[in-house]
């Protein structure tokens, strides 16, 4: 849920042959977003979005960035970005 996701596809790459869900996730992740933020923006359950993101990552369509934890504590910068994203919703 805290993982950040970014698209590895070019803005000019044809994604029309992909499923609508994949297209939406690629478009959302042109800017780095958290899995929770993607779930909220798509209005899809978190579990569904996690499966889609895992499938897309295995196909090389997106990159998942796991946050580095310092002694079990989440990165303050990450928490601020997630909070900022939630406020924009």
């Amino acid at each position: 849920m805290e993982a950040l996701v970014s698209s590895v596809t070019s803005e000019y790459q044809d994604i029309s042959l992909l499923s609508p869900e994949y297209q939406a996730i690629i478009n959302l992740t042109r800017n780095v977003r958290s899995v929770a933020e993607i779930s909220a923006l798509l209005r899809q359950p978190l579990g569904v979005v996690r499966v889609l993101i895992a499938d897309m990552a295995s196909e090389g369509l997106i990159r998942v960035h796991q946050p580095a934890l310092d002694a079990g504590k989440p990165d303050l910068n990450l928490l601020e970005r997630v909070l900022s994203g939630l406020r924009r919703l």
Side-chain angles (χ1 to χ4, degrees):
M1 185 163 73
E2 298 171 347
L4 298 177
V5 182
S6 63
S7 174
V8 296
T9 60
S10 164
E11 182 176 334
Y12 306 104
Q13 195 172 355
D14 182 22
I15 60 171
S16 63
L17 298 177
L18 300 174
S19 73
E21 294 84 6
Y22 276 26
Q23 290 178 35
I25 291 172
I26 287 172
N27 288 325
L28 285 174
T29 58
R30 298 220 187 270
N31 296 315
V32 177
R33 296 187 189 267
S34 71
V35 176
E37 187 176 6
I38 295 166
S39 174
L41 291 170
L42 292 177
R43 299 176 191 257
Q44 294 291 326
L46 183 59
V48 171
V49 173
R50 288 175 65 185
V51 169
L52 289 170
I53 287 172
D55 291 347
M56 292 176 73
S58 69
E59 293 178 31
L61 296 170
I62 58 173
R63 185 172 296 128
V64 178
H65 312 274
Q66 295 295 337
L69 298 178
D70 183 24
K73 298 178 184 176
D75 180 27
L76 183 59
N77 189 24
L78 169 65
L79 294 176
E80 289 173 354
R81 287 193 313 256
V82 170
L83 183 59
S84 174
L86 291 173
R87 285 184 178 142
R88 284 186 272 146
L89 295 178

